[in-house]
């Protein structure tokens, strides 16, 4: 049974996430290191376009990292989350959906066509990934018969959910990329729209928005560990170490995918998502439900 | 050196560069891109994320629209801009821009300049962000204004819904975009309703268009081997490939294509190029995701570039491999039919890129923005070809 972490963990959590995100950015860096990039954006002037809705833009940029950190509150490091809510999976899903608002507002706020297109794209992408995504995390909850994240991890002391519900795991990884609009799902901030939803952000705004995106990616990847990869369970090493190792492995996989695959356009993914992935996720949930009932 | 200057120096050790190329300045663009690759300076997708604005070729205003000035005002301080007018001096000019960027004395003035510019006065065309605006002036009377900007009017979209119509000029300063191309788009959401091609006038050039240079020279009776022409063709297709992959969002492969292009132009032997080019070509050819994403986009029924975006891409890949094998060929080029990277090169017909431009409006109408960008990238018209040739004696023809 998971016991809640001490209160100071709430303060350490954002720092720990930022640390992992920085490590990821270092592994991903092609020319500029993350430290230098952060410095560059801090030195840069904040600028805003004409007739922009400034409060909306500020809200959008800050909402993204806040959503990521809040979603991470139910993430267990080893077996200890900051807060082990009885319906932690629902909480995670709700916080992650805040990103919809954040990206849409960031696209809408600057009163710029290209950033507006980025906003539209994320909404469409959300429609495409969210349904199979919710079915996938529901399947994990179903397998453990609990919405508590700690209980889901505990249910995998023997067999990982990724092994006996591979379709749900695969769909979850796809939607992790999509919710952080990163890698093959980076169309909302695509280069073809000169940066899309982030096209008009500069300086601190850009840093907070794109930093928030990285946090969201780390949180989404890390959440696959208690959901599908057995949480902190593993031989020899302590639970927190297993969590870190598994998270790093998932992030490494996502990094590899990003290098190998071009950007998936929403309208094509929508088709795949609704015609193939959603029925697949339903079938997976059905199989799991039957197995659980027979136990 | 005070702390502030030291911080700025560290922050801007590798400035993000926004490169805006004018028509006729392919040589300068290639020199700048190669130099940026060598230095590891990142390339910015738009003015908001740039520190250093580099113009390849002198940016001429388009009618009364000084787009270069608009892009410059949209770059946040600290910033610097330079114009590369000679490919040989690209490195030197970049150094100069970097020095200006790091000079602390330059910053207060720059800050002041952008502070005023970022407020109301963007000029008539920049009502919508930094890449050009919703230009309603000549499309009926707007129903109202916000902050001096007209509101969008509405019209039925493809599904019969009444949606805002945005008039957006696309180009000339976009990443992975044909130099000098401007499209006047009418957008509803991210769907293109109508597109007009409005190319920038290409200044008369004293040198032949870079990508068709070997064939133009052969046409003029100058000696040249097919090997040289094959090298140019290989690089031209790699350049198109890099841009297409950039637009398709495959930055890793796009970077490889650019690197291979620079090596090809840098006189590397065919044997040296093969390990760079073949794995890339194989990977792009075999990518099922890319096929899934680009098949059926921008389909043309006939003509020299018939097929969809994916088949044009495969055409480049074939061209690259074929040209790579012919790099060592010493036979005179004049013995072969004069077919350049984009089509037949001769005096009588219009240049091939004019046909490519003419195909654009019909292909773009009804396409989504991302598909529209793919269509443009898959045709990759070279506006340098449209330039009138200025003969050394001062006459123009072409």
């Amino acid at each position: 049974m998971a016991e809640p972490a001490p209160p100071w963990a709430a303060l350490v959590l954002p720092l720990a996430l930022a640390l992992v995100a920085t490590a990821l950015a270092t592994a991903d860096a092609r020319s500029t290191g993350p430290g230098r990039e952060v410095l560059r954006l801090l030195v840069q002037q904040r600028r805003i376009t004409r007739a922009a809705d400034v409060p909306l833009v500020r809200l959008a940029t800050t909402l993204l990292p806040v959503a990521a950190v809040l979603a991470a509150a139910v993430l267990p490091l080893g077996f200890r989350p900051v807060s082990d809510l009885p319906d932690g999976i629902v909480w995670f899903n709700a916080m992650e959906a805040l990103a919809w608002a954040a990206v849409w507002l960031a696209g809408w706020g600057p009163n710029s066509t290209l950033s507006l297109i980025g906003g539209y794209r994320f909404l469409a992408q959300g429609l495409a990934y969210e349904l199979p995504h919710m079915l996938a995390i529901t399947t994990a909850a179903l397998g453990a018969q609990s919405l508590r994240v700690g209980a889901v991890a505990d249910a995998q002391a023997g067999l990982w959910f990724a092994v006996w519900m591979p379709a749900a795991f695969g769909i979850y990884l796809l939607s992790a990329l999509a919710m952080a609009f990163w890698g093959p799902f980076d169309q909302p901030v695509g280069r073809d729209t000169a940066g899309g939803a982030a096209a008009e952000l500069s300086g601190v705004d850009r840093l907070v928005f794109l930093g928030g995106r990285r946090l969201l990616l780390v949180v989404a990847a890390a959440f696959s560990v208690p959901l599908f990869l057995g949480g902190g369970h593993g031989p020899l090493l302590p639970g927190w170490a297993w969590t870190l190792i598994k998270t790093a492995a998932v992030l490494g996989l996502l990094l590899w995918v990003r290098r190998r695959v071009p950007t998936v356009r929403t309208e094509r993914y929508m088709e795949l998502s609704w015609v193939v992935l959603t029925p697949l996720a339903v079938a997976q949930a059905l199989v799991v439900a039957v197995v659980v009932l027979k136990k | 050196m005070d702390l502030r200057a030291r911080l700025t120096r560290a922050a801007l050790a590798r400035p993000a560069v926004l490169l805006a190329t004018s028509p006729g300045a392919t040589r300068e663009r290639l020199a700048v891109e190669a130099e940026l690759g060598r230095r590891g300076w990142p390339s910015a997708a738009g003015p908001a994320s740039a520190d250093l604005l580099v113009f390849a070729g002198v940016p001429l205003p388009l009618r009364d629209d000084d787009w270069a000035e608009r892009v410059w005002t949209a770059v946040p301080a600290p910033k610097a801009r330079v114009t590369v007018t000679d490919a040989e001096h690209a490195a030197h000019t970049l150094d100069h821009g970097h020095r200006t960027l790091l000079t602390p004395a330059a910053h207060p003035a720059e800050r002041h300049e952008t502070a005023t510019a970022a407020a109301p006065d963007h000029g008539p065309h920049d009502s919508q962000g930094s890449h050009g605006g919703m230009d309603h002036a000549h499309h009926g009377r707007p129903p109202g204004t916000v902050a001096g900007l007209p509101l969008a009017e509405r019209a039925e979209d493809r599904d019969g819904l009444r949606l805002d119509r945005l008039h957006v000029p696309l180009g000339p300063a976009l990443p992975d975009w044909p130099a000098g191309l401007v499209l006047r788009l009418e957008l509803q959401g991210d769907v293109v309703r109508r597109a007009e091609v409005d190319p920038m006038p290409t200044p008369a050039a004293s040198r032949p268009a870079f990508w068709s240079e070997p064939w133009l020279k052969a046409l003029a009776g100058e000696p040249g081997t097919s090997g040289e022409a094959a090298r140019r063709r290989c690089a031209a297709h790699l350049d198109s490939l890099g841009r297409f992959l950039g637009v398709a969002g495959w930055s890793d492969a796009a970077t490889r294509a650019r690197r291979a292009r620079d090596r090809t132009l840098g006189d590397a032997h065919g044997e040296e190029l093969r390990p760079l080019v073949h794995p890339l070509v194989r990977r792009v050819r075999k990518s099922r995701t890319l096929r899934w994403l680009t098949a059926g986009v921008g389909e043309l029924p006939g003509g020299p570039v018939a097929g969809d975006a994916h088949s044009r891409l495969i055409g480049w890949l074939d061209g690259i491999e074929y040209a790579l094998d012919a790099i060592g060929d010493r036979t005179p080029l004049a013995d072969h039919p004069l077919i350049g990277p984009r089509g037949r090169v001769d005096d009588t017909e219009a240049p091939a890129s004019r046909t490519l431009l003419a195909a654009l409006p019909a292909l773009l109408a009804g396409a989504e923005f991302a598909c529209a960008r793919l269509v443009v990238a898959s045709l990759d018209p070279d506006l340098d070809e449209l330039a009138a040739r200025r003969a050394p004696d001062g006459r123009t023809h072409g």
Side-chain angles (χ1 to χ4, degrees):
Chain A
M1 191 63 218
E3 43 183 313
W8 52 261
L11 298 175
V12 176
L13 177 70
L15 294 177
L17 286 176
L19 209 63
V20 179
T22 312
L24 172 71
T26 313
D28 188 25
R30 270 156 299 178
S31 46
T32 325
R36 186 156 276 165
E37 179 65 10
V38 167
L39 202 56
R40 186 179 80 82
L41 290 176
L42 284 176
V43 167
Q44 200 174 53
Q45 178 199 37
R46 244 174 159 183
R47 71 176 247 294
I48 199 68
T49 40
R50 191 177 172 195
D53 199 327
V54 180
L56 280 193
V57 177
R58 303 273 188 267
L59 180 67
T61 48
T62 37
L63 193 55
L64 207 54
V66 169
V69 172
L70 285 179
V74 293
L75 258 183
L77 178 64
F79 301 100
R80 306 177 80 181
V82 168
S83 163
D84 196 17
L85 297 173
D87 36 20
I89 288 183
V90 180
W91 169 265
F92 172 81
N93 197 219
M95 292 307 110
E96 156 260 295
L98 284 180
W100 286 40
V103 179
W104 166 248
L105 293 181
W108 171 268
N111 189 29
S112 151
T113 317
L114 293 181
S115 75
L116 183 63
I117 289 177
Y120 282 132
R121 284 178 173 181
F122 192 64
L123 289 192
Q125 184 156 307
L127 284 177
Y129 84 78
E130 191 68 42
L131 205 58
H133 168 68
M134 277 163 57
L135 284 165
I137 57 178
T138 312
T139 310
L142 198 62
Q145 301 183 60
S146 171
L147 284 170
R148 191 189 290 273
V149 181
V152 176
D154 282 341
Q156 301 173 70
L159 188 63
W160 291 2
F161 282 178
V163 177
W164 71 282
M165 35 183 104
F169 179 54
I171 289 170
Y172 180 83
L173 287 185
L174 282 179
S175 50
L177 287 170
M179 81 174 70
F181 47 105
W182 191 84
F185 292 95
D186 67 352
Q187 217 202 354
V189 289
R191 227 179 127 73
D192 62 331
T193 44
E200 303 295 345
L201 301 177
S202 71
V204 177
D205 293 322
R206 193 176 184 79
L207 175 65
V208 173
F209 186 77
L210 294 182
R213 177 172 80 138
R214 276 198 187 273
L215 289 186
L216 199 60
L217 178 74
V218 169
V219 172
F223 204 64
S224 72
V225 175
L227 277 191
F228 294 102
L229 297 176
H233 291 289
L236 297 177
L237 295 174
W240 61 266
W242 275 116
T243 308
L244 282 184
I245 290 170
K246 290 171 184 175
T247 306
V250 172
L251 284 173
L253 176 72
L254 299 185
L255 208 62
W256 178 82
V257 169
R258 170 192 153 107
R259 296 212 174 136
R260 300 296 297 223
V261 180
T263 295
V264 177
R265 287 201 314 282
T266 308
E267 106 259 15
R268 297 268 154 123
Y269 187 64
M270 185 83 87
E271 214 173 280
L272 177 78
S273 170
W274 285 61
V275 177
V276 181
L277 297 184
T278 305
L280 186 67
V282 172
Q284 176 78 87
L286 193 70
V287 170
V288 171
V290 169
V291 171
V292 168
L293 280 177
K294 279 199 143 183
K295 260 185 195 168
Chain B
M1 203 200 291
D2 63 324
L3 183 66
R4 195 190 180 89
R6 214 178 296 175
L7 270 179
T8 315
R9 187 170 288 273
L12 297 173
R14 283 176 178 172
V17 175
L18 180 65
L19 176 61
T21 311
S22 296
T26 303
R27 287 176 186 82
E28 289 74 19
R29 168 174 72 89
L30 292 171
V32 171
E33 284 185 2
E35 187 60 31
L36 293 181
R38 258 194 295 281
R39 295 174 182 215
W41 291 5
S43 102
S49 50
D51 306 307
L52 180 60
L53 179 58
V54 178
F55 294 106
V58 179
L60 297 174
L62 180 58
R63 303 210 190 87
D64 57 342
D65 173 23
D66 193 356
W67 59 272
E69 201 57 38
R70 279 194 294 119
V71 174
W72 169 243
T73 43
V75 178
K79 59 179 175 177
R81 63 174 155 182
V82 288
T83 305
V84 178
T85 47
D86 185 346
E88 313 230 308
H89 296 149
H92 178 75
T93 314
L94 285 178
D95 281 337
H96 174 70
H98 196 201
R99 261 200 310 280
T100 318
L101 192 62
L102 292 178
T103 312
H107 291 157
E110 296 292 13
R111 285 222 168 88
H112 175 71
E113 189 184 321
T114 33
T116 48
D121 195 27
H122 263 211
H125 288 274
D126 196 34
S127 50
Q128 285 287 306
S130 37
H131 311 277
M134 281 199 280
D135 182 6
H136 306 282
H138 41 267
H139 288 277
R141 188 173 299 137
T145 57
V146 169
L149 306 174
L151 289 173
E153 341 117 66
R154 297 189 168 178
E156 304 227 318
D157 82 337
R158 58 179 179 183
D159 302 320
L161 299 167
R162 284 188 73 74
L163 284 183
D164 283 357
R165 252 183 335 166
L166 307 182
H167 297 275
V168 186
L170 207 57
L174 273 175
D176 297 320
W177 184 256
L181 179 63
V182 178
L183 290 179
R184 308 251 163 223
L185 297 186
E186 189 183 306
L187 285 175
Q188 284 185 316
D190 67 344
V191 176
V192 178
R193 292 290 288 162
R194 236 172 32 148
E196 275 171 43
V197 177
D198 186 12
M200 292 174 67
T202 311
S206 54
R207 300 176 72 178
F210 181 73
W211 292 124
S212 26
E213 189 178 19
W215 297 272
L216 287 169
K217 278 188 169 166
L219 199 65
E222 290 177 46
T225 66
S226 343
E228 287 163 23
R231 182 182 291 279
R232 193 62 60 90
R233 183 198 307 281
C234 186
H237 287 328
L238 281 169
D239 186 49
S240 300
L241 178 69
R243 284 214 278 227
F244 184 87
L245 294 174
V247 170
W250 198 354
S251 54
D252 187 62
T255 311
R256 281 163 202 267
R258 276 188 209 113
R259 210 175 293 149
R261 172 200 69 192
D262 293 339
R263 297 278 293 150
T264 308
L265 288 173
D267 289 334
H269 290 293
E271 295 310 313
E272 277 175 70
L273 291 173
R274 265 189 200 104
L276 276 177
V277 173
H278 276 310
L280 171 74
V281 168
R282 204 175 319 123
R283 183 184 282 192
V284 173
R285 199 191 289 277
K286 280 170 70 178
S287 169
R288 286 200 203 141
T289 324
L290 194 64
R291 180 195 312 253
W292 170 52
L293 292 169
T294 54
V297 172
E299 203 146 12
L300 275 172
V305 283
D308 56 14
H310 190 257
S311 63
R312 290 193 277 275
L313 174 76
I314 297 296
W316 288 336
L317 298 180
D318 292 341
I320 288 168
E321 288 190 314
Y322 185 77
L324 196 56
D325 289 336
I327 276 184
D329 192 345
R330 312 288 307 167
T331 57
L333 180 61
D335 296 352
H336 300 267
L338 297 179
I339 297 175
R342 283 171 179 79
R344 182 166 285 281
V345 178
D346 55 29
D347 261 341
T348 52
E349 278 178 65
S353 288
R354 205 178 288 283
T355 327
L356 299 177
L357 285 178
L360 275 177
L363 284 179
L364 295 182
E368 290 189 30
F369 189 88
C371 291
R373 290 279 332 242
L374 281 176
V375 168
V376 173
S378 77
L379 292 174
D380 201 29
D382 178 15
L383 276 70
D384 293 14
E385 288 182 8
L386 309 186
R389 283 290 306 283
R390 199 170 55 218
D393 55 5
R395 285 181 298 119
T396 55
H397 68 93

